Amino acid sequence: MSWRVTSNRLAWGAGTVLGADDLAGCNIDALVQGGHLAPVKGKRSPADQVPDSPGRKKKVEPEQPVSDDEPAEGPEEQE
Amino acid sequence: MARIVLTDVGVVLGGVDLSDHIASVEISQNFDEVETTAFGDGGRTRVAGLEDSTLSLSFHQDFDTGEVDATIAPLVGGTAAFELAPFGTATAASGTAPRYSGTVLVTEWTALNGAVGELSTADVTWPVVGQVARGTGA
C-alpha cells in the first residue's frame, strides 16, 4: 500500500509517493481524511499501458441494450 | 543570551505543519509534587513525581481541504505526535534552538467559535501523554 502526498503541509512535497515505512508512527487514516494523503492504487504493468499490444485481448464493447420495440433475436421474415 | 521575540514558531501536529494557522503556543511541563517529609526533618521535603504536562494552542480556524479543521477533526479522541520548533521547522535543532516533542491526547476541539466580525479561532489545551522531550540535535 502506498499514498501520494496531496498537501503542502507535510515533511514531503506534494506528489511524493510514500510507503507504510515512510509513514511509520503517523495516523494515516487521519492524514487521508484531512486531505494530506491519497491512497495510490497498485501500479499497472508496462504491458497494460500499451494499447492494443500483440497478444492482448481487445476490449469487448458492451452490447447495446435491446429495445422493447424491436424483436431481439427473432427469425427474419422470408419473402 | 539574546531575548527572543517569537515570529516563526514551527508547530507540527500529527506530521502536519499548521504553523501559519497558529497564533499562540504554550508547552507547560508540570510534575506531581510528592512529599517525603519524615521524622527528624526540620521542614517539609519533596521530590518530583509523575510528569503531567499540557500543550496549549490557539488556531485560526480554516475549513479548506488539508487545513485546520480537516486536520484536527479526525484526531479528536485519539493521540497525535507534536513537535515545536521555536525558530521554525527549517532551523535544525541545536543547543540554542531546542525542539520540544511528544504526544498529546486530543481531548477537545472547538470547531466553531467567535462573534460577529471576529476572526474564528479555536483555543485548545491538550494533555501530554507520557513525557515531553527536549531535542538539541546532539
Side-chain angles (χ1 to χ4, degrees):
Chain A
M1 188 73 185
S2 56
W3 294 266
R4 186 180 305 280
V5 177
T6 55
S7 83
N8 293 314
R9 294 191 175 277
L10 302 188
W12 304 273
T16 306
V17 176
L18 304 170
D21 292 343
D22 300 313
L23 295 165
C26 294
N27 185 335
I28 296 173
D29 288 341
L31 290 172
V32 171
Q33 288 182 56
H36 303 287
L37 294 176
V40 176
K41 294 178 181 177
K43 289 182 179 177
R44 300 173 65 190
S45 66
D48 288 340
Q49 295 176 9
V50 178
D52 299 329
S53 59
R56 183 168 181 262
K57 289 183 179 178
K58 286 189 176 181
K59 186 178 179 182
V60 178
E61 295 294 333
E63 294 180 1
Q64 293 294 325
V66 178
S67 168
D68 292 339
D69 299 335
E70 299 174 2
E73 294 180 356
E76 293 182 1
E77 293 182 5
Q78 293 181 352
E79 295 183 359
Chain B
M1 187 63 193
R3 292 167 177 77
I4 301 167
V5 175
L6 298 177
T7 59
D8 188 24
V9 177
V11 182
V12 179
L13 283 167
V16 180
D17 188 343
L18 291 171
S19 308
D20 63 358
H21 280 61
I22 292 175
S24 171
V25 60
E26 177 182 336
I27 181 77
S28 179
Q29 286 185 271
N30 303 292
F31 291 83
D32 290 342
E33 179 184 307
V34 180
E35 187 168 334
T36 56
T37 310
F39 293 122
D41 289 331
R44 293 187 183 279
T45 60
R46 299 174 174 87
V47 295
L50 296 173
E51 182 172 342
D52 187 14
S53 301
T54 57
L55 173 66
S56 298
L57 301 168
S58 181
F59 292 92
H60 291 175
Q61 185 56 288
D62 189 332
F63 293 105
D64 279 354
T65 302
E67 298 297 342
V68 176
D69 190 64
T71 301
I72 303 300
L75 299 174
V76 177
T79 59
F82 72 87
E83 187 172 44
L84 307 177
F87 301 101
T89 54
T91 302
S94 69
T96 55
R99 287 196 181 198
Y100 295 88
S101 61
T103 301
V104 287
L105 181 62
V106 183
T107 52
E108 61 167 321
W109 181 236
T110 307
L112 194 57
N113 177 41
V116 60
E118 292 181 348
L119 183 68
S120 179
T121 60
D123 299 330
V124 299
T125 296
W126 295 326
V128 172
V129 178
Q131 295 176 283
V132 174
R134 182 179 186 272
T136 58

